[in-house]
């Protein structure tokens, strides 16, 4: 029974190491996705520390590649030192992912305030040229999120661009894609996206942060299982004579 339990633990441990390698790739992908997406919305928030959870999760993903290698080698070679190192590193990574979850919730709660403070300024800086970064950001958001203005398309009336253009129209990025020959004129509100961008930008950024939180929670649970399996193998190795015989190839006298 002892050998059977040990073998099961070792099998699970090897399987978990393979999962760690897959998890490393997934975590790095999620972190990179957060960076790329936030880069598209960076004009709508000023707090660069919002990206800290993404930085940490990429670092954790990179570390998981190393952890998987250590775990596989330690399990195959029956190395007590290797398994101990494996368990300790997993514990450290587990604590790090808990920190990611906490930071994720903190920054997720601050996203709305950040967007509310900056969105009026960004819209007022719009000048309609592709060379201008705030203008590109607004046009991108309006096309991607199917929105227009801050709360609705009428908010454009308050902007400097609208007052200077004097043509009673909004940017063509406010036009619905199924409307042909749309010029953005306010005399045809049915051609424009009815929803404002502020709430949608906040939702998008919060959703992204939630992806990070769920990824950290999921892989933290897997790492907890890995630590338990490593501890089981180590404990059996130290207390089960049958396991020592299995490892050394010796036999009872």
């Amino acid at each position: 029974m002892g050998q059977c339990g040990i073998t099961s633990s070792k099998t699970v441990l090897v399987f978990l190491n393979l999962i760690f390698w897959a998890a490393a790739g997934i975590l790095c992908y999620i972190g990179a996705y957060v960076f790329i997406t936030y880069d598209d919305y960076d004009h709508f928030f000023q707090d660069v520390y919002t990206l800290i959870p993404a930085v940490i999760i990429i670092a954790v993903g990179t570390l998981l590649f190393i952890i998987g290698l250590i775990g596989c080698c330690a399990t195959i070679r029956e190395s007590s030192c290797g398994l101990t190192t494996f368990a300790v590193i997993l514990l450290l990574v587990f604590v790090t992912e808990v920190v990611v979850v906490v930071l994720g919730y903190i920054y997720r709660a601050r996203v709305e305030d950040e967007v509310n403070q900056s969105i009026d300024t960004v819209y007022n800086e719009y000048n309609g040229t592709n060379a201008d970064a705030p203008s590109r950001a607004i046009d991108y958001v309006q096309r991607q999120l199917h929105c227009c203005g801050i709360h609705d398309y009428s908010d454009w009336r308050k902007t400097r661009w609208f007052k200077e253009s004097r043509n009673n129209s909004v940017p063509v990025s406010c036009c619905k894609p199924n409307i042909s020959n749309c010029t953005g004129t306010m005399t045809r509100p049915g051609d424009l996206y009815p929803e404002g961008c502020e709430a949608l930008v906040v939702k998008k950024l919060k959703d992204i942060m939630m992806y990070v939180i769920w990824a950290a929670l999921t892989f933290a649970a897997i790492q907890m299982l890995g630590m338990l399996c490593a501890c089981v193998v180590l404990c059996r190795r130290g207390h089960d004579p049958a396991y020592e015989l299995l490892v050394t190839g010796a036999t009872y006298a």
Side-chain angles (χ1 to χ4, degrees):
M1 287 292 291
Q3 293 180 9
C4 181
I6 294 163
T7 303
S8 297
S9 297
K10 286 170 61 181
T11 302
V12 172
L13 196 54
V14 171
F15 179 69
L16 285 173
N17 286 319
L18 297 177
I19 292 179
F20 290 153
W21 281 332
I26 294 172
L27 287 176
C28 288
Y29 171 80
I30 292 174
Y33 171 75
V34 172
F35 263 105
I36 293 171
T37 305
Y38 266 75
D39 184 58
D40 294 328
Y41 295 86
D42 63 351
H43 286 85
F44 297 95
F45 64 93
Q46 305 298 322
D47 190 356
V48 295
Y49 297 109
T50 307
L51 291 173
I52 287 179
V55 174
I56 296 176
I57 209 169
I58 289 176
V60 168
T62 304
L63 188 58
L64 279 179
F65 279 112
I66 302 173
I67 292 174
L69 181 61
I70 293 174
C72 277
C73 291
T75 304
I76 293 171
R77 298 180 61 182
E78 311 289 352
S79 170
S80 296
C81 180
L83 285 172
T84 302
T85 302
F86 174 71
V88 170
I89 295 176
L90 274 184
L91 178 61
L92 294 175
V93 173
F94 175 81
V95 172
T96 302
E97 289 188 330
V98 172
V99 171
V100 168
V101 172
V102 173
L103 289 176
Y105 273 109
I106 291 173
Y107 290 124
R108 188 174 184 271
R110 293 170 59 177
V111 162
E112 187 168 0
D113 289 337
E114 285 286 327
V115 173
N116 290 345
Q117 291 173 10
S118 61
I119 195 167
D120 285 316
T121 302
V122 176
Y123 267 82
N124 202 45
E125 291 176 353
Y126 185 88
N127 64 18
T129 62
N130 195 49
D132 181 61
S135 299
R136 287 199 310 272
I138 290 174
D139 286 334
Y140 174 83
V141 166
Q142 292 190 152
R143 289 193 178 98
Q144 290 295 313
L145 302 184
H146 295 176
C147 58
C148 184
I150 299 174
H151 302 102
D152 57 43
Y153 68 89
S154 65
D155 291 322
W156 278 103
R157 291 193 175 98
K158 305 172 187 175
T159 65
R160 185 174 57 191
W161 173 82
F162 182 88
K163 295 172 182 176
E164 291 176 353
S165 62
R166 299 179 180 179
N167 58 6
N168 196 36
S169 65
V170 298
V172 293
S173 56
C174 284
C175 294
K176 296 176 181 178
N178 59 329
I179 304 296
S180 59
N181 300 322
C182 177
T183 61
T185 177
M186 286 190 174
T187 58
R188 300 182 60 181
D191 294 353
L192 311 175
Y193 294 123
E195 195 168 357
C197 294
E198 183 180 41
L200 294 178
V201 168
V202 170
K203 181 180 182 301
K204 179 71 172 180
L205 296 177
K206 283 187 173 183
D207 287 347
I208 293 170
M209 195 59 68
M210 187 56 69
Y211 297 153
V212 173
I213 292 170
W214 278 113
L217 283 174
T218 301
F219 293 117
I222 294 173
Q223 286 158 25
M224 178 65 75
L225 183 57
M227 284 187 288
L228 290 175
C229 289
C231 289
V232 168
V233 173
L234 285 169
C235 289
R236 292 290 181 87
R237 181 184 177 92
H239 297 92
D240 194 336
Y243 181 71
E244 291 297 331
L245 293 172
L246 181 66
V247 173
T248 63
T251 57
Y252 284 111

